[in-house]
């Protein structure tokens, strides 16, 4: 008897879990994202110059997991019409893609505009318009022209002018067709991974120093591009402009341990707050915990000044409020397990400056070591953004899951989308978080940076062993298509029960 009651209760509980919110609010929009260097290929044709990822993958192939590069990638430079046809088949409201700076401005500066670069993006924009797909366009998605890296890249304050000039050209050339802009994709990955480590190109590894020089320049460059758009282009073009910040959300390993709760908050300020606090808070500037920790560490190292200095009043005001929406890229959650120096931290470094030990041992896994499946962490991040940044309107500008090459029945991806989207519905309806749109990463398997083609995030499988790079839809194409058609989490059994679908196929 007792057993039957238990089973009954479990069945009931299972039903309540499954029967959460399923319908998206009116006006909620769906899109899919890509980035120029990961899909375009055509790295050396029609006037495009070398970028930092071309340089890294050609000169240090040992840093790419499978020794590949983006020379051909998905060949979107030649096959953008297929990209657009796939997007139209899935039925997206918008397509998020990025512009290749080195394709548009081979010197990095506006002294030489490459007509083929302008032509290529106009062709893509026209193809999208024909299918009624809105463009959401990223100005900088990591592929810095090598010419500018040779001058120091994002560690050079001159980059503020170069980025502003490049943005000016893009607003002028494409602003009649593009109404939604993103300045930077994932500033943390640009500054910490590329200037404070070798995880991304140009792999400068100036840990604890270059990363903070980069953030000073990047945040100022972002603000200058915003003000330029706001003052000069918005009055005639009527668009909107934002920044997309990536987060690994940190949770305390034990939510009842006050010290771990406080440390997780510090870690979130170091990760998300590093770039969000200067833009989205009323007081502006870098987060207090970050300024204090780095100052203490710097003094202990014998430095006369902190490796991370607070902005002066001019720049605090200039950077504050410069994003129409909060763009969030989110994939995963890590745990904070204790105070002290993380065993993987270099000296000095951003990670050491946090003063907390972290672990990835949480949630389900994916093909990427860093990507753990923790849907509730997404909800906690979104609630934290609402309370930390005065309830901003939010676009999820990336979210996705990796599996191994050739996984066509991609249940891992489908269940990841379903669970993460379900958490978005929870925070919209239960907590009033203003999430307005969702962007899945990514249209097709592409050059996944240092992972090469060894980890796959696409809706379409791309066979890179075939020179024609054929594309094959995965099951998630049908999932996302149905989601968008009905504006509701797909209820089909086919998407819920891997065992069943295998029998049916
Ligand atoms: C472009 O790069 C390819 C390798 O991806 C090489 O075979 C080709 O010769 C290069 N073309 C030019 C014009 O440099
Ligand atoms: C954007 O421009 C409007 C209109 O001039 C102005 O009121 C607003 O303060 C500007 N935004 C920022 C962040 O400067």
């Amino acid at each position: 008897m007792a057993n039957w009651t238990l089973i009954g209760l479990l069945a009931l509980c299972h039903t309540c879990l499954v029967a959460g919110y399923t319908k998206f609010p009116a006006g909620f929009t769906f899109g899919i994202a890509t980035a120029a260097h990961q899909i375009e290929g055509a790295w050396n044709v029609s006037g495009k110059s070398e970028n930092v990822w071309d340089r890294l993958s050609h000169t240090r192939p040992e840093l790419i997991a499978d020794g590949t590069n983006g020379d051909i990638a998905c060949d979107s430079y030649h096959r953008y019409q297929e990209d657009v046809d796939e997007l139209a088949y899935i039925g997206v409201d918008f397509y998020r893609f990025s512009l290749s700076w080195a394709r548009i401005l081979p010197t990095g500066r506006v002294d030489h505009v490459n007509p083929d670069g302008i032509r290529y993006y106009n062709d893509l924009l026209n193809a999208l318009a024909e299918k009624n797909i809105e463009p959401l366009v990223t100005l900088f998605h990591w592929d810095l022209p090598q010419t500018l890296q040779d001058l120091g890249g994002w560690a050079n304050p001159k980059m503020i002018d170069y980025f502003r000039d490049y943005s000016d050209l893009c607003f002028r050339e494409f602003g009649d067709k593009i109404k939604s802009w993103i300045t930077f994709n994932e500033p943390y990955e640009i500054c910490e991974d590329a200037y404070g480590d070798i995880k991304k190109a140009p792999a400068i590894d100036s840990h604890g120093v270059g990363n903070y020089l980069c953030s000073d320049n990047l945040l100022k460059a972002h603000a200058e591009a915003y003000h330029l758009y706001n003052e000069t282009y918005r009055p005639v073009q009527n668009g909107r402009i934002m920044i997309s910040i990536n987060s690994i959300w940190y949770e305390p390993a034990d939510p009842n341990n006050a010290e771990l709760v406080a440390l997780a908050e510090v870690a979130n300020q170091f990760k998300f707050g590093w770039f969000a606090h200067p833009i989205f808070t009323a007081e502006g500037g870098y987060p207090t915990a970050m300024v204090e920790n780095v100052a203490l560490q710097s003094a202990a190292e014998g430095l006369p000044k902190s490796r991370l200095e607070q902005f002066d009043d001019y720049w605090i005001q200039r950077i504050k409020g410069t994003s129409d929406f909060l763009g969030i890229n989110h994939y995963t959650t890590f745990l904070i397990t204790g105070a002290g120096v993380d065993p993987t931290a270099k000296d000095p470094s951003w990670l050491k400056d946090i003063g907390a030990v972290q672990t990835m041992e949480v949630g389900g896994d994916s093909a990427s070591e860093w990507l753990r499946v923790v849907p509730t962490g997404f909800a906690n991040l979104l609630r934290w953004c609402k309370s930390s940044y005065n309830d901003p309107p939010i676009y999820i500008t990336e979210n996705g899951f990796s599996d191994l090459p050739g996984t066509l029945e991609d249940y891992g991806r489908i269940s990841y989308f379903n669970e993460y989207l379900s958490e978005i519905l929870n925070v919209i309806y239960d907590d009033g978080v203003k999430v307005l749109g969702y962007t899945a990463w990514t249209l097709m398997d592409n050059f996944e940076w240092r992972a090469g083609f060894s980890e796959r995030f696409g809706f379409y499988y791309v066979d890179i062993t075939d020179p024609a790079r054929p594309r094959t839809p995965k099951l998630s194409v049908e999932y996302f298509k149905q989601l968008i058609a009905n504006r509701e989490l797909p209820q089909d059994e086919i998407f819920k029960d891997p065992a069943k679908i295998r029998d049916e196929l």
Side-chain angles (χ1 to χ4, degrees), residues 45-228:
V45 309
S46 303
K48 177 184 164 292
S49 71
E50 184 189 29
N51 67 41
V52 293
W53 278 95
D54 296 321
R55 176 65 66 90
L56 186 84
S57 55
H58 292 153
T59 61
R60 301 175 75 184
E62 72 281 3
L63 290 183
I64 311 294
D66 54 5
T68 57
N69 54 50
D71 289 4
I72 302 170
C74 305
D75 200 22
S76 287
Y77 176 78
H78 297 108
R79 295 166 65 177
Y80 64 89
Q81 186 62 54
E82 271 175 72
D83 300 355
V84 173
D85 291 345
E86 287 158 6
L87 291 159
Y89 174 78
I90 297 173
V92 296
D93 301 307
F94 63 90
Y95 176 40
R96 179 180 168 216
F97 65 95
S98 78
L99 305 175
S100 159
W101 191 335
R103 195 179 294 289
I104 295 171
L105 300 175
T107 64
R109 304 179 308 268
V110 288
D111 53 357
H112 176 68
V113 181
N114 180 18
D116 183 71
I118 304 290
R119 189 248 346 131
Y120 172 66
Y121 292 112
N122 273 323
D123 287 352
L124 171 57
L125 288 163
N126 290 337
L128 288 168
E130 241 167 63
K131 304 280 187 183
N132 279 319
I133 299 170
E134 278 276 323
L136 166 59
V137 176
T138 312
L139 287 160
F140 187 77
H141 201 126
W142 306 358
D143 46 357
L144 188 69
Q146 183 62 40
T147 50
L148 300 183
Q149 183 52 44
D150 291 343
L151 302 175
W154 290 107
N156 177 0
K158 204 59 196 163
M159 280 300 299
I160 302 162
D161 290 346
Y162 294 143
F163 183 72
R164 184 186 181 283
D165 294 347
Y166 160 63
S167 303
D168 192 5
L169 178 90
C170 295
F171 297 150
R172 192 163 61 240
E173 289 289 341
F174 307 121
D176 57 332
K177 302 190 183 88
I178 299 170
K179 301 303 167 195
S180 301
W181 295 92
I182 291 170
T183 53
F184 287 94
N185 178 71
E186 301 187 358
Y188 170 92
E189 274 63 20
I190 298 164
C191 292
E192 173 58 22
D193 285 358
Y195 291 86
D197 206 330
I198 60 166
K199 292 178 183 165
K200 304 268 154 56
I204 298 300
D205 205 17
S206 170
H207 42 86
V209 180
N211 52 336
Y212 297 135
L213 297 180
C214 170
S215 66
D216 283 356
N217 297 325
L218 187 149
L219 280 160
K220 290 172 182 174
H222 159 81
E224 290 309 314
Y226 179 93
H227 289 296
L228 173 68

Side-chain angles (χ1 to χ4, degrees), residues 108 120 171 195 210 270 281 312 399 411 422:
Y120 172 66
F171 297 150
Y195 291 86
F270 262 81
T281 60
D312 63 18
N399 178 238
Y411 294 104
S422 178

